């Protein structure tokens, strides 16, 4: 997309030509040509409404911690930059989508509210966690979700409670062209010291099984029902398999790490090798858990991602 964007979009806070290496935890990808950073819900609504009106595809970026970008992205990308404020009402806490997910989990614990301990090691933004129904240690976000706010693909603002079918394992309907704006979690009163101890235990478990010190994008593939993708990759003998600086982690088979200079193409190749090898060895076709941004689609309309 080389033509100029509509004035309504250009009036919003935005940056040009930002490398995805700086926008993602994995540290690869091409260039983000247009990065829109609305500071208010109204600006976010202008973004979505204008794109809908013009038939412009767009993508949403959260914390960039669950994303593998394979090339340049020409379509507008939106990353919310709302004020980082929590609101508490009794046992409920409301956070904007751009709030840090780990920060939310930590701050509610300090307030003596229990229920988000499982999330204390899951990076990214609150909006990303909502979008993916993030989870760990047998709990996922929808279980503590009281309400959430989002824009529809047409740009209409909706606030509602979750309903059956809207959130599943590492999936929500929001990925289908909606833009998450914020959420309210319903927690339970708890002793801050006990909450901190539970958080410390989860962090310790994560620290011994996941390559936290290296650039990564979390688990790359979804766990097939009743199985662990990490174990399947491990049993296929792939731990340590390397394409340039992209490597299957020695700590956890379902993590791919960037030792520094890996390219997007090398990660794409590594993912393809892992998938093919697990299919050959175990007869299981692993499905990516991370978002993958490849070449933009040719047709108009909101894109997943
Ligand atoms: N295992 C191996 N080899 C490996 C990795 C794991 O044998 O290389 C075995 C472990 O020993 C364990 C089993 O597989 O017996 C499960 O491993 P783990 O406890 O690490 O959990 P997981 O199923 O691999 C899931 C989530 C993680 C989440 C952890 C902890 C997915 C795809 N992964 O991993 O989420 O942190 O449980 O709850 O659902 C993510 O979403 O990005 C993510 C990392």
């Amino acid at each position: 997309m080389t033509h100029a964007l509509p004035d309504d979009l250009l009036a919003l806070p935005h940056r040009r030509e930002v490398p995805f290496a700086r926008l993602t935890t994995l540290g690869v990808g091409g260039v983000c040509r247009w990065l829109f950073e609305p500071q208010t819900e109204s600006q976010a609504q202008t973004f979505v409404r204008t794109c809908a009106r013009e038939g412009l595809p767009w993508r949403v970026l959260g914390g960039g911690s669950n994303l593998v970008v394979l090339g340049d992205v020409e379509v507008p990308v939106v990353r919310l930059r709302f004020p980082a404020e929590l609101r508490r009402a009794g046992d409920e806490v409301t956070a904007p989508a751009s709030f840090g997910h780990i920060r939310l989990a930590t701050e509610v614990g300090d307030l003596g509210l229990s229920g988000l301990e499982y999330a204390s090691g899951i990076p990214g933004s609150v909006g990303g966690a909502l979008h993916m129904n993030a989870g760990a240690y047998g709990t996922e976000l929808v279980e503590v979700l009281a309400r959430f706010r989002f824009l529809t693909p047409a740009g209409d603002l909706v606030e509602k409670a979750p309903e059956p079918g809207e959130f599943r394992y590492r999936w929500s309907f929001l990925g289908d062209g909606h833009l998450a704006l914020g959420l309210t979690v319903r927690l339970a009163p708890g002793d801050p010291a006990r909450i901190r101890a539970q958080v410390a235990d989860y962090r310790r478990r994560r620290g011994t099984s996941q390559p936290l010190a290296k650039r990564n994008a979390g688990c790359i593939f979804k766990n097939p029902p009743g199985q662990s993708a990490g174990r399947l990759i491990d049993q296929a003998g792939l731990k340590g398999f390397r394409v340039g600086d992209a490597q299957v982690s020695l700590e956890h088979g379902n993590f791919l790490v960037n030792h520094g200079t890996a390219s997007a193409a090398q990660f794409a190749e590594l993912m393809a090798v892992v998938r093919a090898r697990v299919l050959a060895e175990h007869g299981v076709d692993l499905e990516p858990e991370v978002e993958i941004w490849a070449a933009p689609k040719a047709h108009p309309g909101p894109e997943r991602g």
Side-chain angles (χ1 to χ4, degrees), residues 66 122 135-138 169-170 206 209-210 217-223 227-235 239 249-255 289:
N66 194 48
I122 305 177
Y137 304 112
Y169 166 65
R170 299 293 196 276
R206 197 173 277 269
S209 64
Q210 299 182 1
C219 283
I220 295 289
F221 297 101
K222 290 184 180 178
N223 281 345
Q227 303 197 68
S228 159
R231 188 189 285 133
L232 294 174
I233 295 166
D234 189 356
Q235 287 171 348
K239 268 186 171 175
S249 162
L250 291 161
E251 282 107 327
H252 195 296
N254 203 10
F255 280 68
E289 192 270 341

Side-chain angles (χ1 to χ4, degrees), residues 68 70 243 246 256 263-274 292:
V68 180
L70 298 180
V243 180
L256 304 185
S263 67
Q266 287 171 334
F267 271 105
E269 187 183 334
L270 188 57
M271 286 178 70
V273 168
V274 168
I292 298 174

